[in-house]
Amino acid sequence: MDSSVSSLIRTSYLEQPSAEQAVHPSVYSKRKRLIDIAGALVGLGITAILTVPIAIAMQFDSPGPIFYSQVRCGLRGKPFRIWKFRSMVVDADQKKHLVRNQAQGHIFKNENDPRITRVGRFLRRTSLDELPQFWNVLMGEMSLVGTRPPTPDEVQKYDSHHFERLKVKPGMTGEWQAKGRSNVKDFEDIVRMDIDYQRQWSILYDLYLIFRTIAVVFAGQGAY
């Protein structure tokens, strides 16, 4: 990401009142971090097993890179590179302006996005596209449970109350993934759910959201 954009995001966050800058207690939880490391190691083992069949299917369907990376904003707006299995055509970012946004606010969603490949649609429906993010969790850039990691262009448009989301590490899952997934199309609803997560947070609540997410994924609810 351009250093000037990164600096702007960090400055925007640091300009918030000191109470808003304070990070959430979950950031300092050793138990949460141990669960993240254990879960990431297990997840990366599963990822290693599934990478070959996913890569083969992907090359038959839409030849190109196996992985897709994108800059996202983490704790206190710090940029990091998130990793996923590629679920769209190779030049998807250049074609984004051709697709209508069906969401409201600072997010982009389209239920029938033509850029998504056939294999990619399966990966998204089963959340297999997100398996490489276990690497981000192991590196400490993400947590198993947290808030949705925003893109830099989203953060640049934030109002003051939106920065509350950046007080915790972004998560592979969280309140909105476990209770709505792609059916949540209003950015303000995502913000509300992310803040609700911070208010309710505990180790047991993290485990609840993890198991609820697994159940939702297996049921095939709310993803596209």
Side-chain angles (χ1 to χ4, degrees), residues 119-171:
V119 170
R121 198 163 294 279
F122 170 77
L123 293 177
R124 289 188 171 207
R125 187 170 63 250
T126 57
S127 292
L128 291 175
D129 63 316
E130 298 183 359
L131 288 180
Q133 291 174 34
F134 281 115
W135 176 255
N136 295 114
V137 174
L138 187 63
M139 292 296 100
E141 299 162 330
M142 294 180 64
S143 177
L144 292 178
V145 185
T147 57
R148 174 186 169 275
T151 60
D153 60 306
E154 291 174 19
V155 177
Q156 283 184 281
K157 301 173 185 176
Y158 272 10
D159 295 326
S160 58
H161 70 285
H162 297 149
F163 285 94
E164 188 83 7
R165 307 179 64 245
L166 304 180
K167 292 171 66 174
V168 300
K169 285 185 181 181

Side-chain angles (χ1 to χ4, degrees), residues 14-87:
L14 293 173
E15 284 177 348
Q16 301 305 303
S18 58
E20 298 301 321
Q21 292 179 31
V23 296
H24 190 267
S26 63
V27 175
Y28 302 112
S29 173
K30 293 182 179 179
R31 288 186 297 168
K32 181 177 176 69
R33 181 58 184 152
L34 286 174
I35 292 172
D36 282 348
I37 292 173
L41 291 173
V42 172
L44 287 172
I46 296 172
T47 304
I49 293 171
L50 295 178
T51 294
V52 172
I54 288 175
I56 293 173
M58 193 180 295
Q59 296 311 309
F60 277 109
D61 182 36
S62 176
I66 300 171
F67 299 103
Y68 170 78
S69 69
Q70 186 181 46
V71 174
R72 297 291 183 96
C73 295
L75 179 66
R76 303 187 72 187
K78 182 179 180 180
F80 71 99
R81 188 166 292 277
I82 199 171
W83 292 93
K84 296 185 178 186
F85 283 122
R86 180 173 60 87
S87 61

Side-chain angles (χ1 to χ4, degrees), residues 198-210:
Q198 295 182 41
R199 291 170 178 163
Q200 299 182 68
W201 176 78
S202 69
I203 294 298
L204 287 177
Y205 193 62
D206 272 3
L207 294 174
Y208 161 74
L209 289 177
I210 289 172

